[in-house]
């Protein structure tokens, strides 16, 4: 099987009236399905239980988006058994067979790009542009990993050795537990699931309780594409009930997780403990967030830097692990930067219900997140100088005004802890040495950016700015599959580099074979 060279999926241009109308129809279609109930899917069997998860619209918290099942503890063994049974067939199929299935999934996602985006607009409060990009990224993951799988099936020859024939093959691991976040409820969920599937593993998929309806849409696509029963088992449920048992089950071979540092570390710790009957060391892939920094050097194009900071800090209400939550500004530009960043934020941000075209700043995901972010803002008011926002928005939903706090100490709470909301801390640096020192002073190391026209300073940052994804003279969000392999250092995770050329190795193991001749 040969596939054309990989190209990133095109984003939708909503300035074109026909595209706007198509998106409006997609939102209307999803609205007509609100309140639908979605089953657990285990071994192809659709199951309903008494306990439910009600997904709420963060723009209007009285509105139920959909009803999912809250998987009980007794479903864990059932799901493991279904995945194990399916693995005996799926894991033995050729890469070409698996890729053929996955390309059907890819084609269906392309056909439903706007409808899938509309689900995210309503369930998690993404703007049209952010939601469309999320679907495009999911499509890219499928497309890209299919090509990687075909390459992996034909590894480079080993070094010749007289008297022997030597070769190797990459084989799947077994059952993969996939635990995605709510903030990229299709892209990251799909990316981790696709990587496991196309490599020959079977999956237990536990979507976030804040975004199970979007996961249910992907399960419908799997069914339509003819993915065999049990290859993906859909298990929405609370982590406090089924999370630990799934991680600790002796038949679970690997865990792919994206979420908070606290949960990621717990998964890593539990996975390291050998359960009775377990015969392998479990593999853990973890992406655990960040405290991402943009440096604005004295030799920066200030207007470009301001634009990049605003986009990075407030895109999707700051609810990205890659979001700029700290900006370090050289003292020579500091006052001018503050004036410009406030003005640019006020001009760029259009707050409201993201179902409406033109609104680019919606709610945070739920009341708990809103309360947590507001608590950080209150801390920030004591640690720095509030120059924009700092309050809730429309009480109908989980809205928070874009917030900028100046004069923040590098060691302050809001400079060190991940807030995961629309809060930007501004820190003054005395020079470039000082800026690099501050940039590296957190326990995280996910993304960062430097705005400067000085090539020597760029070279220094390449050596000294310790993050997994570093950008120059552009924003620190918006990684593209195949272009910007994504994953961080330190407490940001295992640097697994999703969307990168070596990602599928993490879902396989090499078997080396030698024959005397």
């Amino acid at each position: 099987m040969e596939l054309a060279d990989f190209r990133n999926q095109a984003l939708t241009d909503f300035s074109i009236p026909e595209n706007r109308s198509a998106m409006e129809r997609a939102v209307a279609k999803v609205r007509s399905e609100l309140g639908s109930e979605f089953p657990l899917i285990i071994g192809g069997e659709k199951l309903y239980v008494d306990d439910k998860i009600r997904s709420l619209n963060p723009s209007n918290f009285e509105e139920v988006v959909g009803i999912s099942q809250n998987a009980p503890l007794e479903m864990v063994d059932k799901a493991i058994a279904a995945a194990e049974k399916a693995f005996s067939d799926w894991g033995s199929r050729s890469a070409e067979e698996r890729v053929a299935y996955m390309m059907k999934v890819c084609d269906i996602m392309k056909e439903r790009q706007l409808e899938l985006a509309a689900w995210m607009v309503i369930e998690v409060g993404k703007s049209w542009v952010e939601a469309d990009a999320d679907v495009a990224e999911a499509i890219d993951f499928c497309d890209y990993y299919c090509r990687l799988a075909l390459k992996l099936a034909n590894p480079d020859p080993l070094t010749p050795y007289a008297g022997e024939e030597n070769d190797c093959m990459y084989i799947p691991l077994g059952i993969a537990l996939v635990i995605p976040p709510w903030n990229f409820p299709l892209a990251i969920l799909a990316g981790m699931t696709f990587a496991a599937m196309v490599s020959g593993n079977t999956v237990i998929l536990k979507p976030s309780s804040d975004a199970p309806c979007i996961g249910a849409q992907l399960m419908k696509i799997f069914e339509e594409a003819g993915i065999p029963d049990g290859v993906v088992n859909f298990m929405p449920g609370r982590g406090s009930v089924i999370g630990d048992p799934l991680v600790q089950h002796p038949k679970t071979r690997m865990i792919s997780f994206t979420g908070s540092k606290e949960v990621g570390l717990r998964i890593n710790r539990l996975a390291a403990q050998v359960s009775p009957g377990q015969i392998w060391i479990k593999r853990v892939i973890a992406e655990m967030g960040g405290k991402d920094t943009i440096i604005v050097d004295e030799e920066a194009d200030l207007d470009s830097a301001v634009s990049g900071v605003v986009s990075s800090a407030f895109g999707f209400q700051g609810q990205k692990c890659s979001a700029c939550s700290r900006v370090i500004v050289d003292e020579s530009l500091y006052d001018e930067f503050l004036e410009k960043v406030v003005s640019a934020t006020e001009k760029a941000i259009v707050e409201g219900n993201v179902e409406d075209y033109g609104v680019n700043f919606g709610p945070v995901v739920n009341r708990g997140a809103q309360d947590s972010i507001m608590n950080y803002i209150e801390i920030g008011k004591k640690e720095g100088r509030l120059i924009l926002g700092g309050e809730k928005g429309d009480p109908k939903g989980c809205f928070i005004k874009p917030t900028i706090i100046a004069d923040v100490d590098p060691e302050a709470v809001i400079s060190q802890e991940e807030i995961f909301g629309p809060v930007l801390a501004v820190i003054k640096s005395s020079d470039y040495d000082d800026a690099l020192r501050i940039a590296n002073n957190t326990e995280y190391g996910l993304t960062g950016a430097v705005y400067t026209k000085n090539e020597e300073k760029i070279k220094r940052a390449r050596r000294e700015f310790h993050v997994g994804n570093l950008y120059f003279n552009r924003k620190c969000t918006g990684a593209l599959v195949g272009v910007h392999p994504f994953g961080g250092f330190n407490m940001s995770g295992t640097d697994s580099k999703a969307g990168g050329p070596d990602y599928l190795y993490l879902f396989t193991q090499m078997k080396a074979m030698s024959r005397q001749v």
Side-chain angles (χ1 to χ4, degrees):
M1 173 184 286
E2 290 188 10
L3 299 176
D5 291 342
F6 172 74
R7 293 289 183 271
N8 295 101
Q9 175 71 3
L11 302 178
T12 305
D13 184 353
F14 291 114
S15 69
I16 299 173
E18 292 84 353
N19 290 344
R20 287 204 302 275
S21 296
M23 185 62 180
E24 288 167 352
R25 290 193 297 272
V27 171
K29 182 179 186 299
V30 172
R31 280 219 144 267
S32 72
E33 299 175 15
L34 295 188
S36 299
E37 185 167 0
F38 305 103
L40 301 169
I41 303 176
I42 299 176
E45 185 180 2
K46 297 178 180 178
L47 302 168
Y48 297 85
V49 297
D50 293 335
D51 195 11
K52 310 294 183 182
I53 298 171
R54 285 170 171 77
S55 182
L56 304 179
N57 181 351
S59 293
N60 179 4
F61 223 56
E62 295 182 357
E63 188 170 61
V64 176
V65 178
I67 300 169
S68 300
Q69 313 308 304
N70 188 15
L73 181 60
E74 55 266 28
M75 291 292 181
V76 169
D77 285 340
K78 184 178 179 70
I80 292 286
E84 185 178 30
K85 180 181 178 181
F87 178 68
S88 62
D89 170 60
W90 184 253
S92 64
R93 295 191 185 214
S94 68
E96 288 79 6
E97 287 181 273
R98 294 193 294 264
V99 165
Y101 277 109
M102 299 310 299
M103 292 307 295
K104 291 179 184 177
V105 171
C106 194
D107 289 341
I108 297 170
M109 285 195 297
K110 290 177 181 178
E111 293 170 6
R112 299 182 189 166
Q113 184 163 343
L114 294 184
E115 182 182 338
L116 291 167
W119 276 102
M120 280 181 274
V121 167
I122 296 174
E123 189 170 30
V124 297
K126 285 203 166 188
S127 69
W128 287 18
V129 170
E130 291 278 357
D132 181 65
D134 195 304
V135 184
E137 186 175 8
I139 292 167
D140 284 350
F141 278 133
C142 193
D143 230 346
Y144 186 73
Y145 292 152
C146 281
R147 285 156 177 77
L148 289 188
L150 293 176
K151 289 182 180 179
L152 208 63
N154 295 282
D156 292 335
L158 300 175
T159 301
Y161 188 75
E164 292 183 358
E165 292 178 353
N166 296 296
D167 66 336
C168 67
M169 60 191 295
Y170 289 89
I171 63 174
L173 296 172
I175 299 172
L177 171 60
V178 172
I179 307 175
W182 54 263
N183 64 328
F184 284 83
L186 184 64
I188 295 179
L189 176 149
M192 296 192 296
T193 302
F194 295 160
M197 293 171 68
V198 80
S199 302
N201 305 285
T202 54
V203 175
I204 296 175
L205 173 56
K206 197 196 89 60
S208 167
S209 295
D210 284 309
C213 301
I214 296 163
Q217 303 311 308
L218 183 60
M219 292 303 296
K220 290 181 180 180
I221 292 173
F222 287 153
E223 183 178 18
E224 186 173 334
I227 300 296
D229 293 345
V231 172
V232 182
N233 302 277
F234 189 58
M235 284 274 286
R238 293 185 175 84
S240 58
V241 176
I242 63 171
D244 287 0
L246 284 169
V247 169
Q248 293 178 297
H249 199 286
K251 295 295 180 66
T252 299
R253 180 62 179 83
M254 69 170 298
I255 303 98
S256 187
F257 167 81
T258 300
S260 72
K261 180 191 77 172
E262 291 74 21
V263 175
L265 292 178
R266 177 175 178 81
I267 287 171
N268 196 54
R269 183 172 66 253
L270 292 177
Q273 299 170 3
V274 178
S275 300
Q278 180 179 326
I279 61 171
W280 43 60
I281 298 171
K282 295 181 183 180
R283 190 171 295 177
V284 175
I285 300 171
E287 197 273 278
M288 306 189 304
K291 190 66 181 175
D292 308 302
T293 302
I294 291 178
I295 293 174
V296 181
D297 176 55
E298 62 179 343
E299 297 177 89
D301 178 328
L302 187 56
D303 289 335
S304 177
V306 167
S307 176
V309 167
V310 171
S311 178
S312 299
F314 300 122
F316 189 35
Q317 299 77 262
Q319 298 173 118
K320 300 179 183 180
C321 56
S322 59
C324 172
S325 57
R326 314 191 309 166
V327 57
I328 302 168
V329 184
D330 188 88
E331 61 183 6
S332 65
L333 303 175
Y334 188 79
D335 292 338
E336 186 180 2
F337 174 86
L338 292 180
E339 181 181 335
K340 284 179 175 286
V341 78
V342 169
S343 175
T345 302
E346 291 174 333
K347 290 177 182 177
I349 298 298
V350 181
E351 301 175 58
N353 188 328
V354 286
E355 291 178 42
D356 300 329
Y357 173 68
V359 173
N360 62 11
F361 190 88
V364 297
V365 70
N366 58 36
R367 294 293 190 203
Q370 186 184 44
D371 291 343
S372 174
I373 296 164
M374 289 305 301
N375 182 59
Y376 275 112
I377 289 173
E378 291 305 310
I379 293 170
K381 289 177 181 178
K382 298 180 178 68
E383 293 183 326
R385 175 166 54 99
L386 180 70
I387 60 174
L388 186 69
E391 58 190 8
K392 294 180 181 179
D394 186 348
K396 188 176 182 180
C398 304
F399 293 90
I400 296 176
K401 299 284 185 181
T403 298
I404 302 175
I405 300 173
D407 307 342
V408 176
D409 186 276
E411 302 298 330
V413 170
I414 65 164
S415 180
Q416 292 293 316
E417 296 184 11
E418 186 176 37
I419 299 173
F420 222 71
V423 182
L424 174 66
V426 188
I427 302 168
K428 183 188 295 186
S429 62
S430 57
D431 55 26
Y432 194 61
D433 288 341
D434 191 37
L436 286 174
R437 179 188 61 78
I438 297 169
N440 288 325
N441 80 341
T442 78
E443 64 182 353
Y444 296 100
L446 186 52
T447 75
V450 177
Y451 281 85
T452 184
K453 299 175 185 177
N454 187 311
E455 287 298 324
E456 289 304 314
K457 289 178 178 177
I458 288 174
K459 289 178 182 178
R460 277 196 62 193
R462 290 172 67 93
R463 296 191 305 269
E464 298 175 31
F465 197 161
H466 196 61
V467 292
N469 288 77
L470 181 58
Y471 304 98
F472 296 102
N473 297 314
R474 55 146 287 177
K475 64 180 183 175
C476 65
T477 58
L480 289 172
V481 172
V483 180
H484 314 112
F486 189 80
F489 303 156
N490 300 348
M491 285 297 175
S492 286
T494 55
D495 189 42
S496 54
K497 287 296 185 266
D502 60 353
Y503 191 62
L504 291 194
Y505 290 115
L506 301 173
F507 294 81
T508 60
Q509 52 194 349
M510 180 199 279
K511 185 174 185 177
M513 292 158 287
S514 182
R515 177 180 180 179
Q516 189 170 7
V517 294

